[in-house]
Amino acid sequence: MSQRFTVSKSDGDRRPSDIQGEVNQLFEGDEPPTSSGGSGGAEGDDAAEVVVVLKGDSNPKESSPFINSSDVAAEKSQQYDGKNMALFEEEMDTSPMVSSLLSSLANYSNLPQGSKEHEEAENNEAESSRKKPVKAPQLGTLMGVYLPCIQNIFGVILFLRMTWLVGIGGVIGTFIIVFMCCATTMLTAISMSAIATNGVVPAGGSYYMISRSLGPEFGGAVGICFYLGTTFAGAMYILGAIELLLIYIVPKAAIFPLEGLEGAEAEAALLNNMRVYGTILLTSMATVVFVGVKYVNKLALVFLACVILSILAVYAGVIKTAVDPPVFPVCVLGNRTLVWKTFDVCAKTVETANGTVTTQLWRMFCDSPLLNATCDKYFTANNVTEIQGIPGVTSGILAENLFGTYYEKGDLIAKGDLESVEDQDDPLTNANRYVLADITSFFTLLVGIYFPSVTGIMAGSNRSGDLRDAQKSIPIGTIAAITTTSTVYMSSVVLFGACIEGVVLRDKFGEGVHGNLVIGTLAWPSPWVIVIGSFFSTCGAGLQSLTGAPRLMQAIAKDGLVPALRIFGHGKANGEPTWSLLLTACICESGILIASLDAVAPILSMFFLMCYMFVNLACALQTLLRTPNWRPRFKFYHWTLSFLGMSLCLTLMFLCSWYYAIVAMAIAGSIYKYIEFAGAEKEWGDGIRGLSLSAARYALMRLEEGPPHTKNWRPQLLVLVSTDAEQNVEQPRLLSLTNQLKAGKGLTIVGTALEGTYLENYEQTQRAEQALRKLMETEKVKGFCQVTVSSNLRDATSHLLQASGLGGLKHNAVLTSWPRNWKQGDEHQTWRNFVELVRETTAAHLALLVPKNISAFPSNGERFTEGHIDVWWIVHDGGMLMLLPFLLRQHKVWRKCKMRIFTVAQMDDNSIQMKKDLTTFLYHLRIDAMVEVVEMHDSDISAYTYEKTLVMEQRSQMLKQINLTKTEREREIQSITDSSRGSIRRKNPAAVTTQLSVTEDPPAASKEEKPEEESKSASSPVSPPEQVQLIHDNTTPASPATPATPLTPGEGAQSPGEQVQMTWTEKCDGEPAKPPGAATPEGIKDIFNMKPEWENLNQSNVRRMHTALRLNEVIIKKSSEAKLVLLNMPGPPRNRTGDENYMEFLEVLTEGLNRVLLVRGGGREVITIYS
């Protein structure tokens, strides 16, 4: 993406200068041309124009006035002037002057498009042609933080459930609940204040703080939890408003009448009424929010005034009870509280002038109004008592209300100190006449119902974009609001317990006090103050929830964290979140369909508690990690307080409802994993990344304590790949094999080497790194990529081998592909590099894996339904050959393949015993495999072997000519041509089976003169027998241990292997090769068809070729149909002059096999039989 824009700057005092520059990328390209003080531009021209081209990705960046930001254009307009800073002249393009930086900081405004801008956008739609500048935010602590927090914290629970909570839990129990919840929010507010004052917090409030502190995964998960909590809070407020409307304000408005219904029927009718009216109210509220948020903002102060007036009315009523308690009588039959609805006098009979007359209460329990009527047994046996519902703060009722009384659903609300005569065997009759418990109550339920009344502490931080000084206002306003509300809550618990009778407190819907709202009975001057006030305040809180929740969802959607939610980032032209509002209304409706305030409250408690828990975690993490950027202005915080707050949140979650807590955690965990796998990758400098760094450092330091045990050994791969001219990987299947070997576990470093200098090849390095990352992502290889640049590829590969990894987290195995076209003349450096790599891995004690024909290996999408993985175990090198097939078979590509292990028995080995021992060994290793022992007897060296060796050595000599002078080259070519003539004349080389009798012991004098030719064959004449005699090759191994005679001191330093390999070199460089026929009598050549060129062959090479051919023959015979063949990779020669021969041996060894993995151990055991 490229952005082009123009910035004009006026300067009245000095003459302007034209500056034009193009910035493509930091530290790239030449600095833009600058003109001197006043030479450019006309006299009257008063604007300098700066043209800046910015390139970058399409991801939205956070606005910042610092370096590397979109404000670079403004900084560029600061013309470099004067010679005082000439030392930094070349850096002016990328590093602005401090004066320039401070100037841009002073003009930096962080006003996102919040509700005010929506309002202005609506008002100014007609005046779109003339744009007004957006006003700077002007809200202070009181209006911006304190009052919104007060309005959000005080809510429906205080008015509808607080008295009931005190009655059920007792003053002590409820005080503990209130104290715990208020302490949790206070500790969370302290943590939030620290985060909010650690830099500029744009609009987005708690979501922004958590996501930028804990990373996108946690931020998204907690943001969605906070969104769900806010949405369900809207449902709770709407249900509270409907409860006030249908029970206290206009009971007759019920669509499903409750009259005459009992038990479950009455409950169902009430819930259905709540659902119908709740849906109607939700629809009307959503419409108001959709039409315009400005109406909500205008009504906010009215709703806040209702809340404050209602609370003041309660305190006024408490004071009045001390002087003149209000008259709210409660009628009690025996000790059972009666529903005071259909009777007028709390008595069975009334004395009048005409005598004793029965009352309406009598008619409720008896079958006729006559005194001799048949009445309810309990009614007959017990007296009716009228007690005072509000005895007053001086009455001493507090002592009775100190301890809680918990009920089962359907229990009678009884006054304990009154006498009751009842027969335990008699069933309860006329149940609808008594006040009953509508739900089963217990301590943890009370916690879940109460906690929503302390939520809302984020209201101030959510308005951070509208505050004049957010870093000052948020801590002061939030903590002051929590202190105020906590004081009100705690005092109200004590005052309710001191003023109101226990049976009235436990009467949730005020049925015993003429259907009045219980807290309303305490209020002064009238209960209607509380009823009307609380109705409006709950409606206002519901509107605030329906306004805030969609904006929160829109912020999450616009961040692009959850791909599935991106549609909710769109809205109306002025930015109103239309789709988010629709989603919010749907989720809110699900809460309304639950229809019970007591059931919805614990749900939103979970989501808010989880959100607060992560705010505390974010603060604690940042404090403990001591991130350099963690410098909050708010100093009154400590990590222990954050941990205490986090522990309280977790405790309250499980106290409220353990199953809701598990569901909430599962939702958050699912969102976390979804964002991790499918979400956009964001780098926000979050604390979790800092925690990962600390944990990684700790783990690396622990790994340094000692080498890993064999049981813990696993292949930590360094994968060496090559790239083409466009920096694309040439062997992508190498990464497929890596994935199959690792199955996504352990360390993988994918490295490539580039030739040149780092400064000149920086762009190619970046392209190569991107190509590696892309391929790793495609092949699902989890790991790191590394690109090394050096003057030549050999050194670059060596640097990769040495420098990759860190501490204990280093590679222990190298995976590289076989050089394909190594026989081509122009590819000689490729195989030389390969052989050097083999030597270096051996020196570094690293395992080496070399797949041959890598293009034939399966991709990750393929599946083998049958087949074998064949292991040819020739020498033991630590057990890598056993471990690799086991690892491969963990992957779905190779899962159906069976494992076969072949080992080679020599002449003097007991093959039957070998098979038994190997089977036992595999059993102890817990590896399932078929075992086969292949017998390879010492056989004759065939003519084909000699021919193959001859061709190999001739090719070696041809390659050697590259480094010779012209004269030497001509001489060498002539000698090679002469020695090849006999070979060219051959007619049928395959039919030749005659072999040469070789004597390995030349005369002693010859050895002393030329010890380096010790292992070279000195052919001697042989008497021709009647038939061709085949002589077995029972000579010494390829590297004889001891020379037959002592070496001279200068030669003694060389190992025997080096002498073997130096034979032809000395011949090439030191003296011309002898004519091949000179040492052999003509008779032998003619009679036995001996080839003269065989005589001078290096016998070590002949034996090696013989071994390679025989092994290849056996492997093809046994494993030609195998899906994969693994075999030991022989080591390279000790001196470098036989490297090309080594490549030829490996080529012959693996000839005719489709997929081969050559394995060379790292010199340590990697597999064990012990547990």
Side-chain angles (χ1 to χ4, degrees), residues 668-742:
S670 306
I671 297 164
Y672 179 96
K673 296 308 285 183
Y674 177 71
I675 294 172
E676 190 177 48
F677 287 114
E681 291 183 6
K682 302 279 182 185
E683 176 48 64
W684 286 332
D686 50 86
I688 290 296
R689 188 175 176 82
L691 181 64
S692 302
L693 283 169
S694 294
R697 183 184 62 83
Y698 175 75
L700 282 170
M701 298 301 286
R702 287 289 304 272
L703 283 174
E704 283 285 274
E705 290 175 7
H709 192 272
T710 303
K711 286 186 284 189
N712 295 329
W713 194 93
R714 62 191 65 199
Q716 314 282 27
L717 290 179
L718 170 62
V719 186
L720 298 176
V721 296
S722 56
T723 54
D724 57 20
E726 274 73 43
Q727 274 71 51
N728 294 318
V729 178
E730 289 180 336
Q731 312 98 354
R733 284 292 164 86
L734 209 54
L735 288 187
S736 303
L737 179 62
T738 305
N739 178 276
Q740 292 155 27
L741 268 172
K742 304 291 291 178

Side-chain angles (χ1 to χ4, degrees), residues 20 84 91 135 155 258 308 352 540 553 557 583 603 631 700 721 729 742 752 838 858 900 907 927 933 1023 1050 1068 1171:
Q20 185 165 6
N84 294 333
E91 296 176 25
K135 287 183 182 178
L258 300 175
I308 293 170
T352 62
M553 173 52 69
L583 176 70
I603 296 175
R631 304 185 300 275
L700 282 170
V721 296
V729 178
K742 304 291 291 178
T752 190
V838 178
R900 295 190 300 192
M907 190 71 178
I927 290 177
V933 177
S1023 305
C1068 289
S1171 62

Side-chain angles (χ1 to χ4, degrees), residues 241-410:
I242 299 303
E243 187 176 305
L244 283 162
L245 186 73
L246 292 180
I247 294 176
Y248 304 112
I249 300 175
V250 276
K252 296 189 182 301
I255 296 171
F256 300 92
L258 300 175
E259 297 298 327
L261 298 178
E262 288 187 28
E265 291 179 353
E267 189 180 346
L270 177 63
L271 294 182
N272 286 332
N273 284 324
M274 301 282 275
R275 289 183 183 111
V276 172
Y277 278 100
T279 306
I280 294 168
L281 187 57
L282 171 65
T283 309
S284 58
M285 281 185 174
T287 308
V288 169
V289 173
F290 177 76
V291 167
V293 76
K294 61 181 178 181
Y295 301 112
V296 179
N297 290 337
K298 284 175 181 174
L299 290 170
L301 280 174
V302 177
F303 297 141
L304 178 60
C306 291
V307 173
I308 293 170
L309 281 173
S310 301
I311 291 167
L312 290 175
V314 172
Y315 277 104
V318 169
I319 295 166
K320 185 176 177 294
T321 61
V323 184
D324 180 22
V327 180
F328 276 103
V330 179
C331 194
V332 181
L333 175 62
N335 64 355
R336 299 175 182 178
T337 312
L338 294 171
V339 175
W340 199 321
K341 239 182 208 174
T342 52
F343 62 92
D344 50 357
V345 182
C346 182
K348 293 181 182 180
T349 56
V350 179
E351 297 294 332
T352 62
N354 299 327
T356 305
V357 181
T358 57
T359 60
Q360 291 174 339
L361 182 62
W362 178 280
R363 295 182 196 111
M364 286 166 59
F365 287 94
C366 301
D367 55 4
S368 78
L370 301 174
L371 289 170
N372 60 356
T374 306
C375 295
D376 181 89
K377 283 184 181 178
Y378 187 82
F379 180 75
T380 309
N382 288 278
N383 295 324
V384 175
T385 314
E386 184 177 289
I387 59 172
Q388 185 59 23
I390 312 287
V393 74
T394 55
S395 64
I397 196 76
L398 179 64
E400 291 181 22
N401 293 329
L402 279 179
F403 302 103
T405 310
Y406 297 97
Y407 292 111
E408 293 288 324
K409 185 176 180 179

Side-chain angles (χ1 to χ4, degrees), residues 83 90 249 252 269 298 342 361 372 411 440 450 458 494 505 652 841 861 1098 1106 1109 1117:
K83 300 297 178 192
E90 292 183 359
I249 300 175
K252 296 189 182 301
K298 284 175 181 174
T342 52
L361 182 62
N372 60 356
D411 283 358
T440 301
Y450 173 72
M458 301 287 188
V494 177
L505 286 172
L652 287 173
T841 53
N1098 184 325
H1106 175 61
L1109 282 168
K1117 181 180 174 185

